[in-house]
């Protein structure tokens, strides 16, 4: 078995948000690890802290957020505490972010080729070594734009570089944004709900594309989603988040075969299934608590069918119920 190097390591990450003049904990001791060529699925309901965790990596937290503790290392290099110019360099080369609505990130008045060419203006070293004329730079940039559009399976990329975003379908726009991220040859790709705005057929095409890119370029992916089917198809390991904390961490097969945390189990049971021609749907009662007024103890206990006395008093510490797995639940602490 190949021992792949660690690309991203998040340890004890704590983030606070300023709300109505108070600093409120939003992420609590988050721990994640992704090795080269692997995909980590980060799942949970809206408001669980998935996107906030992702934005912490390249230092793109909103103005009302601050990191109060922990460590974020990319290929062993500490990112927290870096100056803005250092983070800009990181964003331009090492980390690519792909979000769910591609129209938000494509300039409507520039052609696709012009927008990809802007990347080479910021990072001219991507065009190759040595000095070259402006005309030569344009020619190589155009060739590379076509090359990366072809990589993400856009038909007729030579024509696409001359088109504007409104001339492309939603799926083609998403492929274009993925291509723009890959141009920089990043160490890590962060995909945040990238299939949410697409219809089912196009979703399947994008997921197939990501699967192929993993094989062809050994892509390392942090995949943020609430869709359990996407996680089952793409991820190697899974981190389940709830109310700002990772409450279960396991390889994807173990989690889907036998989830340990009651919340992880409830998420799987909430996926609609067909039985005898009927659709069976088991929703999770209640909702994620507001971070301004969290319940005491385990934050999931008001919704948990297996809660008992310690759950409403003490926050459960993460424990390893078996090798390669971590669960933050009093059920396993009581048994240990």
């Amino acid at each position: 078995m190949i021992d792949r190097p660690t690309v991203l390591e998040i340890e004890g990450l704590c983030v606070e948000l300023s709300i109505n003049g108070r600093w409120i904990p939003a992420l609590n001791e988050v721990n994640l690890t992704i090795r080269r060529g692997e995909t980590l699925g980060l799942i949970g309901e809206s408001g669980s802290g998935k996107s906030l965790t992702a934005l912490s990596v390249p230092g793109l937290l909103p103005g009302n957020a601050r990191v109060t503790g922990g460590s974020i290392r990319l290929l062993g290099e500490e990112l927290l505490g870096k100056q803005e110019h250092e983070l800009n360099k990181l964003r331009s080369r090492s980390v690519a972010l792909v979000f769910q609505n591609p129209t938000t990130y494509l300039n409507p008045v520039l052609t696709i080729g012009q927008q990809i060419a802007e990347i080479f203006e910021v990072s001219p070293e991507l065009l190759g070594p040595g000095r070259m004329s402006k005309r030569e730079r344009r020619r190589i940039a155009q060739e590379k734009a076509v090359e990366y559009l072809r990589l993400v399976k856009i038909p007729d990329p030579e024509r696409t570089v001359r088109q504007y975003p409104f001339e492309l379908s939603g799926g083609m726009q998403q492929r274009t944004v993925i291509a723009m991220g890959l141009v920089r040859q990043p160490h890590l790709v962060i995909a945040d709900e990238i299939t949410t705005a697409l219809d089912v057929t196009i979703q399947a095409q994008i997921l197939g594309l990501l699967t192929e890119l993993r094989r062809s370029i050994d892509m390392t992916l942090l995949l943020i989603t609430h869709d359990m089917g996407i996680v089952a198809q793409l991820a190697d390991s899974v981190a389940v988040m709830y109310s700002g904390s990772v409450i279960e961490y396991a390889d994807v097969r173990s989690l889907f075969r036998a989830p340990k945390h009651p919340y992880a189990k409830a998420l799987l049971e909430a996926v609609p299934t067909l039985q005898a021609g009927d659709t069976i749907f088991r929703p999770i009662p209640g909702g994620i608590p507001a971070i301004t007024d969290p319940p005491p103890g385990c934050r999931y206990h008001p919704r948990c069918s297996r809660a008992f006395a310690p759950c409403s008093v003490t926050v459960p510490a993460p424990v390893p119920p078996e090798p390669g797995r971590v669960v933050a639940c009093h059920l396993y602490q009581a048994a240990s």
Side-chain angles (χ1 to χ4, degrees):
M1 186 175 183
I2 300 174
D3 186 17
R4 293 176 171 268
T6 299
V7 172
L8 178 68
E9 188 172 13
I10 299 176
E11 186 175 357
L13 177 65
C14 298
V15 172
E16 293 181 344
L17 294 177
S18 179
I19 301 175
N20 296 327
R22 291 194 304 145
W23 286 100
I24 308 295
L27 295 181
N28 308 290
E29 298 284 340
V30 172
N31 297 288
L32 299 173
T33 301
I34 313 177
R35 297 185 181 276
R36 180 170 295 163
E38 293 182 346
T39 295
L40 170 66
L42 193 57
I43 64 173
E45 295 168 277
S46 297
S48 60
K50 306 185 301 296
S51 294
L52 200 60
T53 300
L55 292 174
S56 299
V57 176
L60 290 175
L61 289 171
N64 68 329
R66 67 181 184 186
V67 177
T68 58
S71 172
I72 302 176
R73 293 185 292 275
L74 186 70
L75 294 175
E77 181 180 359
E78 179 61 55
L79 303 185
L80 295 182
K82 282 189 175 296
Q83 300 297 316
E84 188 63 23
H85 71 276
E86 296 175 303
L87 289 173
N88 281 335
K89 185 177 180 181
L90 167 80
R91 296 165 192 148
S92 67
R93 288 302 305 271
S94 298
V95 179
L97 292 96
V98 183
F99 297 99
Q100 64 175 286
N101 189 353
T103 57
T104 305
Y105 303 96
L106 292 171
N107 191 324
V109 300
L110 295 179
T111 66
I112 298 303
Q114 288 173 323
Q115 295 186 58
I116 296 178
E118 287 183 336
I119 299 172
F120 296 109
E121 291 178 12
V122 175
S123 305
E125 69 276 5
L126 294 173
L127 294 174
R131 299 180 63 181
M132 59 186 72
S133 66
K134 189 173 182 179
R135 182 176 180 180
E136 184 71 1
R137 285 201 303 272
R138 280 206 203 104
R139 182 187 67 79
I140 297 177
Q142 186 82 351
E143 290 177 354
K144 285 188 173 289
V146 170
E147 174 188 339
Y148 277 92
L149 291 177
R150 185 175 290 115
L151 176 67
V152 297
K153 305 301 180 184
I154 286 184
D156 197 0
E158 292 85 359
R159 177 170 177 262
T160 302
V161 293
R162 299 191 299 271
Q163 292 182 302
Y164 291 88
F166 72 87
E167 297 180 89
L168 304 181
S169 67
M172 291 299 105
Q173 289 179 356
Q174 191 64 281
R175 289 171 187 263
T176 298
V177 174
I178 293 171
M180 293 171 70
L182 296 179
V183 164
R184 298 180 171 89
Q185 301 170 16
H187 299 300
L188 174 69
V189 177
I190 299 175
D192 192 349
E193 300 282 9
I194 63 171
T195 61
T196 299
L198 305 175
D199 63 48
V200 175
T201 302
I202 303 303
Q203 281 186 26
Q205 293 176 3
I206 295 298
L207 294 178
L209 171 64
L210 293 177
T211 301
E212 186 167 333
L213 288 173
R214 286 190 58 193
R215 292 195 302 263
S216 61
I217 63 173
D218 207 24
M219 181 173 66
T220 305
L221 180 64
L222 174 58
L223 179 67
I224 299 168
T225 183
H226 63 273
D227 191 318
M228 303 299 283
I230 292 176
V231 172
Q233 181 175 336
L234 289 180
D236 298 293
S237 54
V238 186
V240 183
M241 290 198 73
Y242 187 82
S243 191
S245 299
V246 174
I247 51 89
E248 183 163 359
Y249 195 106
D251 70 85
V252 67
R253 289 184 180 179
S254 297
L255 184 95
F256 276 75
R257 184 174 61 248
K260 298 289 187 184
H261 197 286
Y263 177 64
K265 184 178 181 181
L267 280 179
L268 288 173
E269 291 178 344
V271 177
T273 58
L274 286 174
Q275 293 183 11
D278 295 325
T279 301
I280 307 299
F281 179 62
R282 299 182 180 88
I284 306 174
I288 287 184
I291 63 172
T292 53
D293 187 28
C298 172
R299 293 190 177 185
Y300 182 62
H301 87 264
R303 307 171 71 187
C304 183
S305 61
R306 301 190 64 187
F308 60 114
C311 301
S312 61
V313 179
T314 308
V315 176
V319 296
E322 58 190 51
R325 195 165 197 164
V326 176
V327 181
C329 179
H330 284 296
L331 290 171
Y332 301 95
Q333 293 179 337
S336 61

